[in-house]
Amino acid sequence: MSVPRSRILDLMKVQCRIFSSTFNPDRTRTGNKVLRERLKGPSVAAYYPRRLATYKDLKNLYPDLETWDEDEEDRLEHLQFLKQRGKGAPKKKRTGRGEF
């Protein structure tokens, strides 16, 4: 003796209502499991330390203040040496009206 499908579906509806789960008789993938999870954004953001002020930020805030960024100076000096040797970045292509 088999139980009719409608009776089983009614039982599943009641069961889902009692245990506060979603009623999905066709077992289609709805993404409910992912949506029920805790959000990861705040914990990931808290993992990395807060960004402190950089030389660039200070220079923008106080343009009159004389600041010296050693890393930036080293980079510019390196680029200057590369350009002298002919190993620097190529010149940008100028494409005005009619020029190619």
Side-chain angles (χ1 to χ4, degrees):
M1 176 171 148
S2 75
V3 182
R5 180 164 167 78
S6 62
R7 180 95 171 153
I8 293 175
L9 288 178
D10 291 338
L11 179 64
M12 283 176 57
K13 282 182 190 176
V14 172
Q15 180 182 355
C16 289
R17 199 174 328 124
I18 291 172
F19 295 111
S20 68
S21 61
T22 55
F23 176 66
N24 190 4
D26 301 329
R27 295 183 180 171
T28 55
R29 296 177 69 136
T30 60
N32 254 2
K33 182 178 175 183
V34 176
L35 293 174
R36 274 195 319 257
E37 288 179 1
R38 274 186 34 211
L39 295 176
K40 297 175 185 172
S43 60
V44 171
Y47 178 80
Y48 296 101
R50 290 180 181 248
R51 187 174 150 224
L52 300 174
T54 61
Y55 285 111
K56 197 180 252 187
D57 295 337
L58 287 174
K59 201 172 194 179
N60 289 339
L61 283 174
Y62 306 106
D64 302 334
L65 184 67
E66 185 68 32
T67 58
W68 189 65
D69 186 5
E70 189 174 345
D71 294 332
E72 182 69 14
E73 294 294 327
D74 288 343
R75 185 184 76 84
L76 293 174
E77 186 179 351
H78 180 69
L79 288 176
Q80 184 181 5
F81 286 137
L82 286 177
K83 284 183 182 178
Q84 286 176 352
R85 291 176 38 214
K87 303 289 185 178
K91 292 183 180 179
K92 290 186 178 179
K93 186 176 180 181
R94 297 187 64 173
T95 57
R97 291 186 180 174
E99 287 185 51
F100 289 101

